[in-house]
Amino acid sequence: EPCHWLPNTRQENSMVSDDKMSASVAVYRNIYTEDRFRQSYGTEDKPRGGGQRFREKITERCRCSRAACLHLLRERIPIFNWLPKYRLKKWMLGDTIAGLTVGILHIPQGMAFALLTSVAPIYGLYTSFFPVVLYMLFGTGRHVSTGTFAVVSLMTGSVVEQLVPTPLQLNSSSPEAADFEAQRIGVASAVALLSGIMMLCMFGLQLGFLSTYLSEPIVKAFTSAAAFHVTISQLQSMLGLRLPRHTGPFSLFKTLASVIENLPQTNMAELLTSLVCLAILVPVKEVNMRFRQYLRTPIPVEILTVIIATGVAYASSLDSNYDVQIVGHIPAGFPSPRMPALHKLPEVAGDTVAITFVGYAVSVSLAMIYADKHGYSIQPNQELLAHGISNTVSSLFTCFPSSATLATTNILESSGGFTQLSGLFTSLVVLIVLLLIGPLFYFLPKAVLACINVTSLRQMFLQFQDLPDLWRVSKIDFVVWLVTWLSVVVLNVDMGLAIGVVFSMMTVICRTQRYAMPSPLSTLDNTDTVYQCFRKSYSRWNCTALWITVSHRDKLISLVVHGICKTKVVGSIPMWDEYENLSMLWIRVSAK
């Protein structure tokens, strides 16, 4: 079937059989309206009743056979599907290098993001190990790296601070400090457990499509605004200030005001440490970004900074001589299973809904981006199962909520990773640190981890560069981006996200009510005009609404497909001389 119907057009094909003979074939096509097309070719058969289809599905699902069991096993545990097809010679080297590179990055980022979660750094290493192994078994994203994520850690840390606030005077070596840390990780693990259970319930109800309600402008605006919250929250650690952490509406401005008010109490040793770390991290990360096509693997500047800073702090006794805050004791060995604080589940339920939505939406968005880039598909519902199992099982080993991460996923793909097997090598690196090397980071200054947190947000801040293109493509999506960003910055992370989703849905309702549904023919003029709208699922993008904008400029007809989840230029049709007076256009879109 043709993809485009152009009225009053003629296609001429020259077919040359040899050097002496040629023939021209003129093809003419009639112009059909929808009613005339149905009269000529009829309509599809009416679908069977819903009850009959439901009974057939139940019967099909309940059939038990060896083939059905194997199919179910491969579908629900994808490693049994892709591992037998693994190309050892072609993919092993890339997966090994990419996995080791990401594993090295997980070590400093895991400890750094644990500070955002308001728990001890060792729990960040645990969260960088268990979810990676579990996602390798159950995930469908070949280039997705899971573990600690700044936004999810920040949201979890807000819950921890609300329920277990930090006392201003606390001796880190006292028994009270150990009990305090146990309470905090108990709350964070409870959030992870409840988040995992929610994802498993969503998987059982096949609610993977809910991720479409977090459109691309919402996700980008949300993560960009959350980066400001992360940066402001790390200022006190970079300056050596002991301040309580603010939560709730306007928390960013409260924290900033508190930091400015206490600037005279800045620890100069920690400020100098932070400045030196930033002077190293920022330029090297810029080199990694600009010359990534020439570098086989990025320069592991984070782990090098951690090692050097730990050695300097140990040699100069920064903790005792200059009152620099250090990481402290990191136990060696594998964590023993421990139940989360189950009695806190009712208190964390509301915040966990937002954390679950954000973690899943970011994970699926990243998986879809790289799946489209490399020509394979992911299963949103299977991703729910993978992340649900990851969070549920990990919570039993004192882990906080995890998701796919922007920085490590980008590095995994750029380092040459091919399949989920790279997660095996990532987890091996983290396991070696847990079993052998962890205690050596005792003297690591917390200011160094704060600097790693801030510099890891580079990609989120760079999303501002997409705004001019977004304005040109869709001004409504631009307004959605702006409203979401301002709501998250001014109010709070979870409240801002809710406002962004509601506002986005309102714009979709207004747009779908404004235009005819569907409108097969429309008038073409010299401005951008909406031509056709569909109330159907566009499965490739997982959209619940779709419309097309046609631009008629510079003798080109440009087609731009808009959806709830994505806006994309799909191509242009050259306007030859015979099309200059074109007044109508029929566009047919196939969901592939």
Side-chain angles (χ1 to χ4, degrees), residues 482-505:
L482 191 61
V483 169
T484 304
W485 189 88
L486 289 175
S487 301
V488 173
V489 169
V490 174
L491 296 177
N492 199 8
V493 176
D494 47 0
M495 293 179 61
L497 176 64
I499 291 174
V501 171
V502 172
F503 183 79
S504 177
M505 293 304 301

Side-chain angles (χ1 to χ4, degrees), residues 1-23:
E1 292 184 353
C3 292
H4 305 285
W5 291 84
L6 296 175
N8 300 325
T9 65
R10 180 177 62 187
Q11 296 182 0
E12 297 183 357
N13 298 323
S14 295
M15 303 176 61
V16 180
S17 59
D18 52 40
D19 296 335
K20 299 180 180 179
M21 184 186 307
S22 64

Side-chain angles (χ1 to χ4, degrees), residues 116 196 225 280 430 509 518 591:
L116 284 177
I280 296 173
V430 180
I509 292 173

Side-chain angles (χ1 to χ4, degrees), residues 356-433:
T356 303
F357 234 107
V358 170
Y360 173 64
V362 171
S363 301
V364 171
S365 298
L366 279 175
M368 284 184 172
I369 288 172
Y370 288 101
D372 289 341
K373 182 177 180 180
H374 292 274
Y376 63 92
S377 61
I378 67 158
Q379 302 174 23
N381 286 310
Q382 180 63 27
E383 291 295 295
L384 274 174
L385 177 65
H387 290 288
I389 292 176
S390 296
N391 281 289
T392 303
V393 176
S394 299
S395 68
L396 304 177
F397 294 90
T398 60
C399 295
F400 50 85
S402 62
S403 71
T405 63
L406 293 175
T408 54
T409 298
N410 184 33
I411 291 175
L412 179 66
E413 191 265 345
S414 61
S415 299
F418 289 99
T419 67
Q420 298 94 316
L421 192 64
S422 59
L424 175 64
F425 302 100
T426 298
S427 58
L428 287 176
V429 173
V430 180
L431 182 62
I432 291 173
V433 174

Side-chain angles (χ1 to χ4, degrees), residues 285-510:
K285 280 180 171 286
E286 190 66 25
V287 169
N288 284 340
M289 181 59 63
R290 294 197 177 189
F291 300 99
R292 56 184 174 183
Q293 64 270 24
Y294 305 110
L295 298 173
R296 184 64 181 88
T297 60
I299 302 172
V301 62
E302 289 92 348
I303 190 64
L304 293 177
T305 304
V306 165
I307 294 173
I308 294 173
T310 303
V312 172
Y314 171 74
S316 55
S317 301
L318 292 180
D319 57 325
S320 57
N321 294 335
Y322 300 98
D323 195 27
V324 171
Q325 298 182 75
I326 60 174
V327 167
H329 176 61
I330 297 180
F334 210 68
S336 57
R338 185 194 307 175
M339 287 299 296
L342 299 181
H343 62 284
K344 295 288 186 180
L345 290 180
E347 299 178 61
V348 304
D351 296 290
T352 304
V353 173
I355 293 172
T356 303
F357 234 107
V358 170
Y360 173 64
V362 171
S363 301
V364 171
S365 298
L366 279 175
M368 284 184 172
I369 288 172
Y370 288 101
D372 289 341
K373 182 177 180 180
H374 292 274
Y376 63 92
S377 61
I378 67 158
Q379 302 174 23
N381 286 310
Q382 180 63 27
E383 291 295 295
L384 274 174
L385 177 65
H387 290 288
I389 292 176
S390 296
N391 281 289
T392 303
V393 176
S394 299
S395 68
L396 304 177
F397 294 90
T398 60
C399 295
F400 50 85
S402 62
S403 71
T405 63
L406 293 175
T408 54
T409 298
N410 184 33
I411 291 175
L412 179 66
E413 191 265 345
S414 61
S415 299
F418 289 99
T419 67
Q420 298 94 316
L421 192 64
S422 59
L424 175 64
F425 302 100
T426 298
S427 58
L428 287 176
V429 173
V430 180
L431 182 62
I432 291 173
V433 174
L434 286 174
L435 297 179
L436 303 174
I437 306 176
L440 299 179
F441 295 121
Y442 179 92
F443 289 97
L444 174 62
K446 289 185 177 181
V448 176
L449 297 179
C451 292
I452 292 175
N453 274 333
V454 172
T455 55
S456 67
L457 305 172
R458 180 182 184 276
Q459 284 180 289
M460 300 184 191
F461 286 121
L462 289 179
Q463 291 174 354
F464 283 99
Q465 297 177 352
D466 299 333
L467 288 181
D469 292 334
L470 185 60
W471 172 262
R472 286 191 294 268
V473 171
S474 174
K475 293 177 176 58
I476 295 179
D477 287 343
F478 179 88
V479 174
V480 170
W481 194 102
L482 191 61
V483 169
T484 304
W485 189 88
L486 289 175
S487 301
V488 173
V489 169
V490 174
L491 296 177
N492 199 8
V493 176
D494 47 0
M495 293 179 61
L497 176 64
I499 291 174
V501 171
V502 172
F503 183 79
S504 177
M505 293 304 301
M506 293 300 297
T507 62
V508 171
I509 292 173
C510 293

